[in-house]
Amino acid sequence: MSFKPHGKHLVAGAWVSGETTFSSEPAEGPSHTFSVGTPALVDQACQMAEQAFLSFGYSTRADRAAFLNAIADEIEKRGDAITEIGCQETGLPQARLEGERGRTTGQLRMFASHIMAADYLDRRHDAALPDRQPLPRPDIKMVQRPIGPVAVFGASNFPLAFSTAGGDTAAALAAGCPVVVKGHSAHPGTGEIVAEAIHAAIVSCGVHPGVFSLIQGGKRDVGTALVQHPLINAVGFTGSLAGGRALFDLCAQRENPIPFFGELGSVNPMFLLPAALRDRGGEMAAGWAGSLTMGAGQFCTNPGIAVVMDGPDADAFTDAALKALEPMGAQTMLTDGIAAAYRAGRDRVAGSAGVQEILTSVCDMRNATPYLYATTGKDWLANEALGEEVFGPLGLIVRVKDADEMRQVAASLQGQLTCTLHLDAEDSELGQSLMPILERKAGRILANGFPTGVEVCDTMVHGGPYPASTNFGHTSVGTLSIRRFLRPVSYQNIPDDLLPGDLRP
Ligand code: NAP
């Protein structure tokens, strides 16, 4: 049976509505009415989150693991309904939403196992040395503790895996932090049904209801009130550079500044080294076209830039990319605003000095068709704006004159989530000279592959220097992401019965 949203916020176990409403703008299917969030609701949710922390922050890892697994089970119970409304609201295809649901439940279960393994606690002990000269050493123990209530902004491009019960929420709950989610107005119904699943898990596990609230958007003051709320200790965010930067600045301006873990923008450049380009340029061009257009290019790891050495192999690569992209039709984007931003980005690139159009297409309304441009290393280096993200299926080929210019292009990059090398054995020397440059630019460097399709695992770093993220020491994907919501505390000479459970003998 189809899910029909009631349009309310979930505030600490109660479904509440506000005075004003907004209508969802689905890509297909019926529009629904949702309550607009308010700063007063944000305050209620944060107060309740703080109350919940008194028990949830001291819950056992086994209890939290059971809770995370229960959320995954409840999401699965609602699987078909989640896919249906998710597809309607976002325009993403059914297979994508089903896959994303699997990733979402997988992340929740992964964190359940991760906290049970307990390595993340990084427990340390310096035993007392009472006879040490000239001074005795006290007994000191250390463990990672949850930081308290955190705010999460649902991402438009991952309505499940980076939204209501997505990676940020799963990591925070695993750590022992209550979560207040600001729902993304591009998929409020999807947010509501996932919140319903979390609520059901709260009830079945007997967890304090303040551990999770969902405040729908509709107005910007919800987000600003949330990041400025004195009881919020950190923020998880995925979205635009402008929005993320504004919220980051608000976090920094607070009386007690808090970390803002924002993932803002990346062009994910690929460097195609000469031997690889010569021997398999056509294959790489086809692979690039697939990665660039996947999900209408609405991935933070979308590889927007291909850097190649000028010459006949670059011509062949460009032709092959054009042939692969040309037949690809229009795809629906997540929102009208994102489609408009895509076209504005296209116009910015197309109008830049020294940029040549390779593939022009026509798209309007909420649709995106691929675009392909080319420029020289010299023109790239003269125009920093060419390195800014265009969110959508737009590719830019940068033709450099030699290895030195390729390294200069690498050195000119802003912070990236990923950088890719396509290389063969013959390219090793150039690859080696690029590595120290790329390592300082990106959170993940990959060889002979495409950056879309982020593995959720122990070794994943999905982050990088600004503007890829606002906090380059962290990742928003994988088990390491729990560290964002933990804080090390030392316990000096504290009696065992006063220690947190994880430190008791
Ligand atoms: P967005 O406009 O940055 O919005 C993300 C969230 O932040 C929304 O909940 C939004 O609230 C809120 N927000 C944004 N600016 C705010 C402000 N000044 N004050 C308070 N709250 C604010 O991102 P989007 O809607 O998802 O997509 C727009 C653009 O973001 C895309 O075109 C793309 O360029 C970029 N994007 C990048 C990635 C990535 O992974 N790098 C992912 C998604 C989007 P409202 O909903 O109320 O506006």
Side-chain angles (χ1 to χ4, degrees):
M1 204 173 68
S2 293
F3 169 71
K4 185 172 176 326
H6 49 57
K8 296 177 183 170
H9 313 277
L10 177 62
V11 181
W15 291 102
V16 296
S17 41
E19 282 166 20
T20 52
T21 58
F22 70 96
S23 298
S24 62
E25 293 173 10
E28 59 187 52
S31 168
H32 300 286
T33 302
F34 293 86
S35 274
V36 172
T38 62
L41 287 168
V42 167
D43 181 50
Q44 278 176 36
C46 293
Q47 300 283 355
M48 293 303 284
E50 179 66 15
Q51 276 189 34
F53 185 62
L54 300 178
S55 53
F56 194 65
Y58 296 84
S59 57
T60 65
R61 285 178 281 116
D63 283 350
R64 290 203 301 286
F67 177 45
L68 292 164
N69 285 328
I71 297 173
D73 294 345
E74 293 292 346
I75 288 174
E76 273 166 6
K77 277 187 208 166
R78 294 161 178 77
D80 290 344
I82 290 174
T83 302
E84 187 188 20
I85 190 142
C87 290
Q88 287 176 354
E89 290 188 327
T90 63
L92 293 169
Q94 182 178 338
R96 156 71 196 273
L97 263 285
E98 284 170 358
E100 203 182 313
R101 189 174 78 235
R103 174 171 166 171
T104 308
T105 53
Q107 286 174 160
L108 288 156
R109 293 188 174 116
M110 174 191 75
F111 274 112
S113 316
H114 185 61
I115 58 173
M116 288 313 291
D119 293 346
Y120 81 101
L121 294 169
D122 193 13
R123 287 179 276 209
R124 298 167 188 218
H125 184 194
D126 286 308
L129 298 174
D131 301 327
R132 190 180 70 172
Q133 293 301 329
L135 289 171
R137 183 172 80 181
D139 181 276
I140 308 177
K141 299 187 178 79
M142 195 284 293
V143 71
Q144 298 283 348
R145 295 289 301 143
I147 58 174
V150 305
V152 169
F153 283 71
S156 58
N157 60 338
F158 277 91
L160 302 174
F162 271 94
S163 277
T164 316
D168 289 345
T169 299
L173 293 176
C177 300
V179 175
V180 180
V181 172
K182 190 270 174 192
H184 200 291
S185 18
H187 55 255
T190 314
E192 181 182 308
I193 188 168
V194 174
E196 220 179 73
I198 298 175
H199 180 51
I202 286 175
V203 172
S204 70
C205 295
V207 176
H208 189 296
V211 103
F212 176 83
S213 292
L214 167 71
I215 313 290
Q216 299 283 9
K219 253 184 103 188
R220 285 278 154 95
D221 58 1
V222 175
T224 54
L226 187 54
V227 302
Q228 290 178 302
H229 199 285
L231 293 173
I232 290 296
N233 297 275
V235 182
F237 173 94
T238 300
S240 67
L241 184 56
R245 183 63 202 236
L247 293 168
F248 170 85
D249 287 344
L250 286 177
C251 286
Q253 285 156 17
R254 289 166 50 124
E255 199 177 315
N256 60 335
I258 55 168
F260 178 84
F261 299 105
E263 193 210 299
L264 309 186
S266 186
V267 292
N268 305 295
M270 303 192 309
F271 293 81
L272 283 58
L273 306 201
L277 188 69
R278 178 195 66 211
D279 293 345
R280 46 194 178 88
E283 190 191 313
M284 292 188 299
W288 184 36
S291 181
L292 189 67
T293 53
M294 188 189 288
Q298 300 168 115
F299 285 112
C300 36
T301 51
N302 197 36
I305 308 287
V307 186
V308 295
M309 218 82 95
D310 206 3
D313 295 335
D315 293 341
F317 172 78
T318 305
D319 285 349
L322 170 64
K323 280 201 183 72
L325 287 169
E326 218 165 17
M328 295 192 178
Q331 295 180 73
T332 309
M333 295 201 92
L334 294 158
T335 65
D336 290 343
I338 287 176
Y342 174 57
R343 287 191 281 274
R346 171 204 64 189
D347 294 344
R348 174 171 55 75
V349 173
S352 298
V355 168
Q356 180 199 351
E357 290 184 358
I358 306 291
L359 170 64
T360 48
S361 52
V362 178
C363 62
D364 58 5
M365 320 271 282
R366 201 157 151 174
N367 296 320
T369 46
Y371 288 85
L372 183 62
Y373 298 94
T375 192
T376 62
K378 187 167 170 242
D379 285 317
W380 165 279
L381 290 168
N383 184 359
E384 221 174 277
L386 287 177
E388 289 167 14
E389 180 184 61
V390 178
F391 197 62
L394 182 146
L396 175 63
I397 299 171
V398 182
R399 298 170 69 119
V400 295
K401 64 175 192 293
D402 54 21
D404 244 5
E405 198 169 69
M406 188 174 267
R407 283 187 287 267
Q408 282 176 45
V409 167
S412 75
L413 293 167
Q414 298 185 319
Q416 304 292 332
L417 291 170
T418 71
C419 287
T420 301
L421 288 170
H422 287 274
L423 77 174
D424 289 341
E426 260 182 76
D427 297 311
S428 180
E429 204 177 313
L430 178 53
Q432 283 177 27
S433 72
L434 282 165
M435 280 303 280
I437 305 173
L438 299 183
E439 245 175 34
R440 297 184 64 189
K441 297 291 177 183
R444 177 165 57 112
I445 307 169
L446 57 150
N448 296 329
F450 295 95
T452 41
V454 181
E455 201 62 40
V456 182
C457 59
D458 290 336
T459 47
M460 180 49 62
V461 174
H462 190 67
Y466 185 84
S469 76
T470 52
N471 207 305
F472 56 68
H474 288 275
T475 171
S476 58
V477 175
T479 51
L480 260 182
S481 66
I482 195 171
R483 289 208 182 160
R484 296 171 300 166
F485 306 122
L486 295 166
R487 180 172 82 75
V489 179
S490 287
Y491 299 86
Q492 185 168 328
N493 288 340
I494 300 291
D496 286 349
D497 57 343
L498 269 66
L499 288 171
D502 284 320
L503 275 186
R504 283 188 206 158

